Amino acid sequence: NLLRNINRFMEILFRLTVHQSPLVKQRVCQNFVTLLKLRKDLIMTQIKKIIQYMITATQDEDRQVGLEACEFWVQFLDISYIEDEERIQILQDFFPTLVPMLVHCTMYTPDDLAILGKDCMSDAGSKTESCRDDDIASELTGDSSDFSESEIPDEAKDLNPEDDADETQGWTLRKCAALAIDNLSKRFGAEMFIHMQPIMDKYLQPDRSWVERESIILCLGAMARGNEEVLGPYMAKIIPFLMQETESPYPAVRSTTFWTLS
């Protein structure tokens, strides 16, 4: 019985955190998430070590490892897991690393772009049969008021989590990071925005790559609900930028912009 041997199980997990096998890393992340659901009190006794491991794992070169690690942030940043001031302070101490990392995880990778296809990357402004705005819009699950895995089609939920080839068709690191940002902003709106603002100022510029602009637009949509007062002073800058991006020659940017505005 796992719960009867929970301390021994934790010891084994921590020993495995130095293992370099992607499959082992995935299992370690999955089990930390499971423990977070079953025994958050036990997780909190080692939370600094676990956070440090998850930050490293989220940035792993293996995207499936990153996805499994990012699931930890989705669970941990749910407000029901963050109760007392000590835990709040521990998490806030990691914001300078955590917030930029999650934003970076929402960016399309070269592999993502290869799957989207060259037509979606065209700056010609045409909408071809192989790449329409509606096709890319389907890559964004749900809407900004309920950005959750529950909005994924049933067939996507049944994907094998170990099948890297199918990962981009279902629950991805990009979507998971956006949901983590959503949860983070709900609980730490103003505190989180202190670290988000410099990233926004950097990427909300016409000379940035379309991948960077699309990413920050996605993050804006993910953090919009419940943060009207925080975002309010910046809307005079954000809205004109978003309206401009609705005319972007890049279909992915247009679709994410309309999703954020909705």
Side-chain angles (χ1 to χ4, degrees), residues 14-243:
F14 275 109
R15 289 179 187 174
L16 291 174
T17 57
V18 299
H19 207 290
Q20 295 304 305
S21 164
L23 184 57
V24 172
K25 291 178 183 178
Q26 289 178 44
R27 295 292 181 260
V28 170
C29 293
Q30 290 168 350
N31 280 291
F32 275 134
V33 171
T34 299
L35 285 176
L36 184 60
K37 296 175 181 177
L38 296 177
R39 288 290 305 273
K40 65 179 180 179
D41 58 317
L42 189 60
I43 285 287
M44 288 302 176
T45 64
Q46 302 288 339
I47 192 58
K48 287 187 178 181
K49 290 181 181 179
I50 295 173
I51 286 177
Q52 289 168 344
Y53 177 78
M54 289 299 180
I55 285 175
T56 300
T58 305
Q59 302 173 87
D60 196 274
E61 61 182 14
D62 187 299
R63 294 286 282 184
Q64 192 63 28
V65 173
L67 174 58
E68 298 296 348
C70 197
E71 290 286 358
F72 175 85
W73 304 116
V74 171
Q75 294 294 329
F76 185 70
L77 294 172
D78 186 287
I79 58 174
S80 64
Y81 287 102
I82 306 171
E83 300 164 345
D84 59 56
E85 290 300 320
E86 181 181 2
R87 296 174 186 177
I88 290 173
Q89 186 58 54
I90 289 173
L91 183 57
Q92 288 179 330
D93 288 343
F94 286 95
F95 277 9
T97 300
L98 180 60
V99 174
M101 179 196 71
L102 290 174
V103 173
H104 182 75
C105 287
T106 66
M107 293 186 185
Y108 283 115
T109 67
D111 288 343
D112 294 332
L113 300 183
I115 291 172
L116 281 176
K118 64 180 181 180
D119 289 331
C120 293
M121 305 308 109
S122 172
D123 60 359
S126 61
K127 299 180 182 179
T128 68
E129 284 301 312
S130 59
C131 183
R132 300 184 302 270
D133 283 358
D134 289 345
D135 296 330
I136 298 177
S138 67
E139 193 268 342
L140 299 170
T141 62
D143 56 51
S144 58
S145 66
D146 188 16
F147 189 68
S148 67
E149 188 173 1
S150 64
E151 296 296 325
I152 297 178
D154 289 339
E155 59 270 20
K157 294 178 184 176
D158 294 334
L159 296 173
N160 183 343
E162 297 178 13
D163 191 340
D164 291 341
D166 286 342
E167 183 225 343
T168 54
Q169 301 173 25
W171 191 236
T172 65
L173 176 57
R174 167 180 158 84
K175 296 177 185 178
C176 193
L179 179 55
I181 289 172
D182 184 5
N183 286 352
L184 184 65
S185 65
K186 287 176 184 175
R187 179 61 181 81
F188 299 100
E191 297 89 344
M192 176 255 202
F193 193 71
I194 292 173
H195 303 280
M196 180 63 79
Q197 183 185 348
I199 304 173
M200 288 175 47
D201 291 341
K202 180 180 179 180
Y203 291 146
L204 290 180
Q205 301 295 335
D207 61 339
R208 305 302 300 194
S209 73
W210 75 262
V211 170
E212 293 169 321
R213 298 198 314 276
E214 192 276 342
S215 170
I216 203 64
I217 293 170
L218 175 62
C219 293
L220 281 170
M223 65 181 290
R225 186 177 67 165
N227 283 286
E228 292 82 0
E229 292 185 7
V230 174
L231 292 173
Y234 302 92
M235 295 307 289
K237 178 179 180 179
I238 293 172
I239 292 299
F241 176 83
L242 292 178
M243 296 305 298

Side-chain angles (χ1 to χ4, degrees), residues 1-12 35 39 42:
N1 186 297
L2 175 60
L3 293 179
R4 285 203 302 264
N5 297 280
I6 198 75
N7 290 322
R8 175 62 176 161
F9 184 65
M10 282 279 286
E11 290 178 11
I12 294 173
L35 285 176
R39 288 290 305 273
L42 189 60

